[in-house]
Amino acid sequence: MIYPIPPGTRDVLPDEMRELRRLHMALVDVFERYGYGEVRTPTIEYEEVLSRGDGRGVESAYRLFDERGELLALRSDMTIPIARLVASRFAEADQPIRLCYIANAYRAVRPESGRLREFGQAGVELIGGSPTDGTAEVIEVLESALDAAGLTRAVIGLGDADLHSQMMREFGVSEAVSNVAQQMLERHDLVGLDDELSQADDVSAEQRRAVVEIAQLRGGREVLDRARSIGGPAVEGAISRIEQTFEALERRNAAERVQIDLGLLRDLGYYSGAIVEVYDPALGHIIGGGGRYDGLMARFGMESPAAGFTLYLESLHTAQAGEELAREQSSDGDDDADADSNPESPGSRA
């Protein structure tokens, strides 16, 4: 008899578990090499803690009451629990503080969406330090983690969480319209973005074109000049931050696989400033993301800049398999080409 498990969860069998264990070890080795110490937080937190960190994110959390009637929630990401941990345990410690983790998180999603309710995350959090150099350090660690996982073709998109809100505020767009537009950007829905702005009474045709055109800009440093020419002073602050981060990456020789993406927007409310997302050609969706969250620590009584990233372990593992298959196919193609070009090879004889 087969006993079902809840949609959005899955069993992991021995062969895959061995592969995941190797992936875990490779990632932790990278994190520790950069000075990040591994921590673990409770699977359940007080709901008030998660809500304090991000009121938007806690909406998707699984909630329950304990024996005293206290409202608890399963963690929906690792950044907020680590912010709580740092404010509680490292308030007097010298900064920067470097921490890493590998843990499961939980989100209430529609079963038919195909998304996981329980999923693995691996990442780092850098508390303190220079905002620009700190972001560059986090991205450098991210690149090394992708290399350790064998995802040498993965691309890191670099954007700014405040770019579009800043631009629409400068344009005088209402908060309601701005919020809906940003939801479209979070879903990477440029068609929906254009439709929403075209129906708004307080958005001119020129402003709508500017927002949509900037959201489509991707590439190297040249896109920053293009954004300035389209958005003018309304985008200068965000564009300057991206430029400074990119220059810091160049100084670290870590900019080669970074693509500036001005349509990028994360779906967590605590991000501010530089944000990143990770894409791999072997997979059709995002395998990780992160960025700056300079205001989050203050919500727990500790003023400190901060940045980090997380990789989604199930997606990372699937991308690994896709990359291995791509390498095998490439190798087979090279062998066939060698056989065709070598007159002494069996495949070339009449």
Side-chain angles (χ1 to χ4, degrees), residues 249-265:
L249 288 168
E250 290 177 325
R251 290 193 294 271
R252 292 172 174 264
N253 296 316
E256 184 176 348
R257 64 200 298 178
V258 174
Q259 179 185 65
I260 295 171
D261 183 349
L262 300 187
L264 187 57
L265 199 62

Side-chain angles (χ1 to χ4, degrees), residues 217-225 242 246 258-261:
L217 291 177
R218 294 174 182 82
R221 290 182 62 171
E222 70 282 353
V223 305
L224 300 178
D225 292 333
I242 295 173
F246 200 83
V258 174
Q259 179 185 65
I260 295 171
D261 183 349

Side-chain angles (χ1 to χ4, degrees), residues 54 152 177 202 208 224 246 249 255 272 278 304 313 335 345-346:
D54 181 16
T152 56
V177 172
D202 55 353
R208 174 176 57 82
L224 300 178
F246 200 83
L249 288 168
S272 60
V278 187
S304 181
L313 288 173
D335 291 343
S345 67

Side-chain angles (χ1 to χ4, degrees), residues 135-269:
T135 304
E137 176 184 319
V138 164
I139 293 174
E140 183 179 357
V141 177
L142 173 55
E143 291 180 347
S144 295
L146 293 170
D147 289 341
L151 304 185
T152 56
R153 296 191 301 161
V155 175
I156 300 169
L158 171 64
D160 191 283
D162 301 322
L163 170 62
H164 290 278
S165 60
Q166 174 185 316
M167 181 165 46
M168 285 186 267
R169 187 165 54 249
E170 290 288 330
F171 287 166
V173 178
S174 70
E175 184 176 356
V177 172
S178 178
N179 289 340
V180 172
Q182 289 181 82
Q183 290 172 13
M184 298 295 107
L185 284 165
E186 289 168 6
R187 297 199 291 266
H188 303 275
D189 184 359
L190 295 182
V191 174
L193 173 66
D194 189 50
D195 287 344
E196 289 293 336
L197 294 178
S198 66
Q199 296 174 34
D201 295 334
D202 55 353
V203 181
S204 70
E206 182 180 359
Q207 291 170 339
R208 174 176 57 82
R209 285 193 296 271
V211 172
V212 174
E213 188 172 350
I214 286 177
Q216 297 179 76
L217 291 177
R218 294 174 182 82
R221 290 182 62 171
E222 70 282 353
V223 305
L224 300 178
D225 292 333
R226 178 61 181 156
R228 285 187 171 105
S229 70
I230 298 169
V235 301
E236 182 55 41
I239 297 303
S240 294
R241 287 192 295 269
I242 295 173
E243 191 169 46
Q244 291 166 11
T245 300
F246 200 83
E247 289 171 352
L249 288 168
E250 290 177 325
R251 290 193 294 271
R252 292 172 174 264
N253 296 316
E256 184 176 348
R257 64 200 298 178
V258 174
Q259 179 185 65
I260 295 171
D261 183 349
L262 300 187
L264 187 57
L265 199 62
R266 302 287 292 157
D267 61 356
L268 294 170

